[in-house]
Structure formats: C-alpha cells, structure tokens
Amino acid sequence: MKRPRMVLILVLLYFGQAAMFLSYFGLYVLNGVQGLDTMIVEILRGTRGLQGLISVTLLTSTWLVLGLASVVIGAGLRRGRSWAWTAAATLEGAILILSLEAYFNRRADGPFYLAMAVAIAVVLLLNQREAQVFYRANRATLEGQVGRREE
C-alpha cells in the first residue's frame, strides 16, 4: 500500500517531538548540574529537604523517557507498524494528561504548552481516516504473511 503524505507529516512531527523532548532533557541536565552543588549543600545543612532534588530528577527523567519513547514509536510509524499507531495514541494521551496537570496546577510554562500543541496535532493526524486505514492495512498484510509461514 502506498504511504499517504499525511503519514509522512505524522512521522516528521513525531521525530520533531522526540527532538524537542530530548532537548528539554539536555537543558534540564545542564541547568541541574549547575545548581546541584548548592542543592546538596542546602540538603546537608538541613535548610532544604530532598523534595527539590527528587522533583528535578523526576522531571528530567520524564523528558528522557518521553524522548526515547518518541524515537522508538516514530521509527515504528515510519516503518508502517500497526503497534506504533496504538503506542503513539497512548503516548500522546499521557503527554496531554501531564500537560493538563501542569496547566491546572499552575506549573505550566512554554515547554509544556509547546508539548501540548504538538500532541494535539499528532492526535489529530493519528485519527485521520487515511492514517487509520494505512496502519490497519499494514497489520492485515503482516498477519497474512505470518499465516502463510505457518502453513
């Protein structure tokens, strides 16, 4: 089956999203390393609890996990794998939940709004009929090949 142009746009958006998340990870790591010595000294003196260090670590690792998952799913979308469509919809749902949680708790900033905008665009592209038909057709082709091998 010929790949629709919209699927190419979807794949490019997904890899762009992966680059965005990995860039956020890099920026948080660079900023965190600069303030890490001060944070450790404050923890040892008892003026600051471990909560700040834990929250920075969780936020940084979240950007890394989202970035790596986006790369893997983007590769699957590029290869036309049906599992990638399901994984992409699930990951985008998680990204939207995280973004909305940050928005309602008044912790959202530019990166969260950008992540939310890209996630909305990806979800809209994933739910287009052309994309659904393309990934369903690839699943049927793969299932047919597996069935022939077993015979």
Side-chain angles (χ1 to χ4, degrees):
M1 178 176 199
K2 186 179 176 192
R3 183 183 317 270
R5 183 177 303 249
M6 186 203 32
V7 171
L8 176 64
I9 295 169
L10 175 66
V11 170
L12 290 175
L13 254 176
Y14 228 86
F15 281 123
Q17 177 178 319
M20 177 180 63
F21 289 148
L22 293 174
S23 298
Y24 292 164
F25 168 73
L27 291 172
Y28 273 93
V29 166
L30 289 176
N31 287 335
V33 167
Q34 292 174 354
L36 188 61
D37 56 347
T38 307
M39 191 179 297
I40 290 174
V41 168
E42 289 175 356
I43 289 171
L44 292 176
R45 287 184 183 164
T47 58
R48 174 185 257 181
L50 285 175
Q51 184 180 6
L53 182 63
I54 291 171
S55 63
V56 167
T57 303
L58 286 176
L59 181 62
T60 304
S61 60
T62 300
W63 288 126
L64 177 64
V65 168
L66 290 175
L68 293 177
S70 294
V71 168
V72 171
I73 293 170
L77 287 172
R78 170 68 178 92
R79 296 184 73 191
R81 303 290 190 231
S82 58
W83 61 263
W85 187 92
T86 305
T90 304
L91 182 66
E92 295 307 314
I95 291 168
L96 287 171
I97 288 171
L98 289 171
S99 299
L100 286 173
E101 186 270 332
Y103 173 76
F104 285 118
N105 287 327
R106 302 190 193 289
R107 291 182 291 123
D109 54 356
F112 281 99
Y113 291 129
L114 184 59
M116 191 184 308
V118 171
I120 290 169
V122 169
V123 167
L124 289 175
L125 287 173
L126 281 172
N127 287 311
Q128 294 293 318
R129 180 172 297 285
E130 292 175 358
Q132 291 180 355
V133 167
F134 176 74
Y135 289 108
R136 251 190 246 134
N138 283 344
R139 180 182 329 149
T141 303
L142 289 173
E143 288 172 355
Q145 291 173 354
V146 172
R148 277 188 258 146
R149 288 184 192 158
E150 293 175 357
E151 294 173 357

